[in-house]
Amino acid sequence: MNLNHLTIHEASRLLRSRQISSVELARTALDCARRLEDKLHALVTLTEELALNQARKADFRLRNGDATPLTGVPAVLKDNICTRGILTTCSSRMLQNFVPPYDATVMERLNSHGMVLIGKGNMDEFAMGSSNEHSAFGPTRNPWDLDRVPGGSSGGPAASVAAGEALYALGSDTGGSIRQPAGFCSVVGLKPTYGRVSRYGLVAFASSLDQIGPLARDVTDAALIMNAIACHDPRDSTSVRRPTPDYTQSLIPEIRGLRLGVPREYFVEGMEEGVKQAIQAAISRLEELGAIVEEVSLPSTKYGLSAYYIIAPSEASANLARYDGVKYGFSVQDAENMWDALEKTRQYGFGMEVKRRIMLGTYALSAGYYDAYYLKAQKVRTLIRREFNQAFERFDALITPTSPTVPFKIGEKMEDPMQMYLSDVCTLPVNIAGIPGISIPAGFVNELPVGMQILAKPFAEEMLLRIAFAFEQATPWHKRKPPI
Ligand code: GLN
């Protein structure tokens, strides 16, 4: 039996019937990580000893019949999710020695299910990027082609799941950082509705956009993870007081009569022909399954990118002001005075992209510019949200590509931030509106993955899972494994 590519639900069945043990499963994952990490670099920290200890505990629970579907299943968490006693670096020099004194709520939740943590996933520094090349510790590579990027910023978590180092991962998504790498690595990535999953213990990038969500090998697994992590959390004032449904109830392969809109603005200029064809074929498949597909227009989409690159950097510039070398993190001691220390700490602690965002944000928020930039962007935000709301009066869901291209070559877009930013044109508006979105494997172009994005109205994750599940049942894409 090949344990490397089990889904959570398959593993859980084997674990509960005692055909395999959690220790065995953890060893397989750790061996895989040791074998691949030189090439892949999906992990910042490998938590080997912890994983084996947790696996032993999980085996004890499994023997006692005290297990949930996640008990004893190896996972990776993106390195911006706080884990008590375990390095949490955000792939930044600024936090390279930071060991949080507390767990993020999602970590607590997974722990209560008996998780086995294999390691912390590599990412673009502070989650700013779309390729993982902005990691201060070197890029993660795409398991489908090692010369290409895995996407970002949750590139490490996505690659680790695709390659077999973990059965699932949690990432964070501020403008596409779960969905775009999911698309690039051919796994399932779900960004929940803003407020559905607690952000407590997630190192903040842009607080009004950030959400934590699952990266998984199939849609059923994504539903199982959502069951575990979605909850109201009094420690996150933006988390909603709303009961968590049983997401596995939406796994019915039946979408006859559902109305799906295809927003024409998402087939942007510069989109690769192969991607377009793959998505069109996927849409035809949905039609064959009985969905009613119609084109729709969301004209404000074209302002999404500009609005995002005002709002996100503005919030980031405020959130990142805390890294002053005094309270925690990297600190330059060799300085003339306090201001000099502060300056040097930030100069050496932050990478190029993070500095670019801080500058963009402080500029947009500065007196005299606030109305022209930040306020204007907030107005655009309202427009975009309104357009989505109107679309959801007519449609049960919207279908788009996750990204306009297949995974690009390492180095290809590093010199041109604008090109890099454009890789998220299809995912950014979703965070701006706060709605949920999922990316699922939808085909290949020259052996490189293509992701399809499905969007629904706030708190309609169940609709996303239902459509995604029906599509998955009818297509072979999620079963393909990378050559690595
Ligand atoms: N690529 C986008 C950015 O760099 C989105 C990142 C994210 O979702 N964390 O801001």
Side-chain angles (χ1 to χ4, degrees):
M1 189 175 1
N2 180 358
L3 299 185
N4 276 121
H5 288 290
L6 294 176
T7 59
I8 297 175
H9 53 100
E10 287 162 353
S12 172
R13 210 172 314 120
L14 295 170
L15 286 166
R16 289 199 225 195
S17 60
R18 314 274 304 280
Q19 285 169 273
I20 57 170
S21 71
S22 174
V23 168
E24 218 176 314
L25 205 53
R27 288 223 163 93
T28 310
L30 291 166
D31 284 347
C32 177
R34 270 191 300 261
R35 203 169 58 242
L36 299 184
E37 271 304 286
D38 270 356
K39 288 181 259 178
L40 200 61
H41 196 34
L43 305 176
V44 174
T45 305
L46 187 71
T47 48
E48 188 162 352
E49 213 183 291
L50 173 75
L52 291 171
N53 278 335
Q54 286 174 321
R56 277 181 214 111
K57 283 192 199 137
D59 278 331
F60 183 77
R61 274 180 72 165
L62 283 152
R63 274 197 299 277
N64 286 314
D66 167 31
T68 74
L70 296 187
T71 307
V73 178
V76 159
L77 297 191
K78 189 176 181 179
D79 213 19
N80 57 354
I81 297 175
C82 284
T83 41
R84 182 158 48 106
I86 304 161
L87 219 50
T88 299
T89 69
C90 289
S91 290
S92 178
R93 233 185 301 284
M94 191 60 94
L95 291 178
Q96 68 186 359
N97 296 318
F98 176 58
V99 178
Y102 69 103
D103 276 328
T105 297
V106 289
M107 176 68 178
E108 272 181 5
R109 302 278 299 185
L110 292 181
N111 263 335
S112 76
H113 284 262
M115 78 150 357
V116 174
L117 185 71
I118 296 297
K120 302 292 297 285
N122 197 6
M123 55 188 278
D124 287 292
E125 184 176 1
F126 283 104
M128 297 169 189
S130 317
S131 69
N132 251 64
E133 291 165 290
H134 292 301
S135 166
F137 311 132
T140 300
R141 287 165 185 271
N142 191 312
W144 294 89
D145 177 347
L146 294 171
D147 291 332
R148 291 176 189 269
V149 305
S153 61
S154 314
S160 68
V161 173
E165 297 180 340
L167 277 72
Y168 73 98
L170 293 188
S172 69
D173 190 315
T174 305
S177 277
I178 291 174
R179 292 158 289 153
Q180 187 254 21
F184 276 15
C185 293
S186 202
V187 297
V188 174
L190 172 67
K191 183 204 89 74
T193 310
Y194 186 76
R196 181 66 282 188
V197 175
S198 169
R199 290 182 295 113
Y200 178 77
L202 171 69
V203 178
F205 164 11
S207 311
S208 77
L209 304 163
D210 299 340
Q211 261 299 280
I212 294 174
L215 289 142
R217 294 206 178 120
D218 71 7
V219 177
T220 304
D221 283 4
L224 291 170
I225 300 161
M226 281 301 287
N227 277 357
I229 62 170
C231 67
H232 169 66
D233 180 6
R235 292 176 299 188
D236 169 5
S237 60
T238 61
S239 97
V240 289
R241 209 178 279 280
R242 208 183 158 101
T244 307
D246 175 0
Y247 290 103
T248 61
Q249 297 289 319
S250 5
L251 304 174
I252 33 171
E254 174 53 70
I255 55 167
R256 233 169 304 168
L258 287 187
R259 294 155 308 158
L260 306 181
V262 180
R264 99 169 59 95
E265 290 80 4
Y266 281 72
F267 292 78
V268 291
E269 211 180 298
M271 184 172 180
E272 286 172 9
E273 196 50 38
V275 173
K276 194 165 165 186
Q277 281 169 12
I279 296 301
Q280 273 159 354
I283 291 170
S284 305
R285 196 80 195 92
L286 290 168
E287 262 183 310
E288 284 158 25
L289 294 170
I292 303 158
V293 178
E294 219 181 285
E295 197 180 80
V296 56
S297 173
L298 301 171
S300 299
T301 304
K302 60 174 175 293
Y303 306 120
L305 189 84
S306 323
Y308 175 87
Y309 278 99
I310 297 293
I311 297 169
S314 294
E315 293 182 14
S317 71
N319 277 327
L320 271 59
R322 72 189 66 166
Y323 303 103
D324 54 9
V326 177
K327 294 186 282 291
Y328 46 74
F330 177 78
S331 180
V332 172
Q333 300 293 327
D334 179 21
E336 317 221 314
N337 54 41
M338 186 197 88
W339 294 111
D340 189 37
L342 182 66
E343 209 174 294
K344 287 196 172 127
T345 294
R346 290 169 71 83
Q347 180 183 346
Y348 298 118
F350 288 137
M352 183 183 65
E353 184 61 27
V354 173
K355 286 181 195 158
R356 180 155 38 225
R357 305 289 176 108
I358 293 172
M359 283 193 276
L360 279 172
T362 40
Y363 183 82
L365 291 177
S366 52
Y369 293 107
Y370 180 90
D371 288 1
Y373 294 111
Y374 189 74
L375 195 66
K376 192 60 148 258
Q378 291 294 10
K379 288 179 180 166
V380 172
R381 187 170 196 171
T382 305
L383 279 181
I384 290 176
R385 192 179 285 147
R386 198 180 294 156
E387 266 175 30
F388 273 123
N389 285 343
Q390 279 161 359
F392 291 126
E393 281 167 18
R394 279 173 59 206
F395 297 104
D396 296 299
L398 301 174
I399 309 289
T400 82
T402 302
S403 167
T405 69
V406 293
F408 43 90
K409 285 255 168 71
I410 290 185
E412 199 179 314
K413 303 195 180 193
M414 276 299 266
E415 300 306 317
D416 187 349
M418 198 56 205
Q419 278 308 312
M420 189 73 91
Y421 296 173
L422 277 168
S423 33
D424 297 308
V425 271
C426 302
T427 47
L428 303 170
V430 179
N431 301 69
I432 291 180
I435 61 175
I438 194 170
S439 175
I440 55 172
F444 289 82
V445 178
N446 300 328
E447 300 303 306
L448 294 170
V450 175
M452 172 167 73
Q453 181 175 235
I454 314 173
L455 309 175
K457 64 182 177 208
F459 303 102
E461 281 83 359
E462 290 155 287
M463 178 58 74
L464 300 183
L465 292 166
R466 178 172 163 197
I467 298 166
F469 184 71
F471 182 80
E472 186 181 84
Q473 295 299 302
T475 51
W477 313 123
H478 66 290
K479 295 218 176 81
R480 276 215 211 165
K481 298 300 161 214
I484 192 170

